[in-house]
Amino acid sequence: MIPSCPPPKATHGAPGTAVVLLLGLALAACESTGSAPTTEMERETALLLPPPTVPPTLTRDQPARIVVELETNEQTWAVTEGVDYTF
């Protein structure tokens, strides 16, 4: 008989990790297909809002290059007395 193992615990990354991961996957998919735009696309800056707020509905009907401006900063917090964690 094979002993049962408890299911793995869900871990949550830093805020924005999912966004960065999805953007990386999208960029990797574009590079792997070798497709490059044949015409200059319209540039649009992404409107990033905190949940549960959503950006306004799209009004354009053609593709556009979306620019996402992200900022990261390093912080150090006390985990317990005498133990700090930098993330």
Side-chain angles (χ1 to χ4, degrees):
M1 175 183 263
I2 299 173
S4 63
C5 296
K9 292 183 180 180
T11 57
H12 300 285
T17 303
V19 172
V20 172
L21 178 61
L22 290 175
L23 288 174
L25 290 173
L27 290 173
C30 289
E31 290 176 5
S32 66
T33 60
S35 61
T38 56
T39 60
E40 187 64 30
M41 283 197 259
E42 175 185 345
R43 293 180 76 90
E44 185 177 316
T45 302
L47 179 60
L48 303 178
L49 301 170
T53 311
V54 295
T57 305
L58 294 178
T59 56
R60 58 182 161 75
D61 58 354
Q62 69 279 354
R65 181 170 299 218
I66 308 301
V67 178
V68 178
E69 297 177 7
L70 297 175
E71 179 182 325
T72 62
N73 56 21
E74 187 175 286
Q75 297 182 356
T76 303
W77 287 4
V79 176
T80 188
E81 189 175 326
V83 179
D84 291 339
Y85 182 73
T86 303
F87 57 98

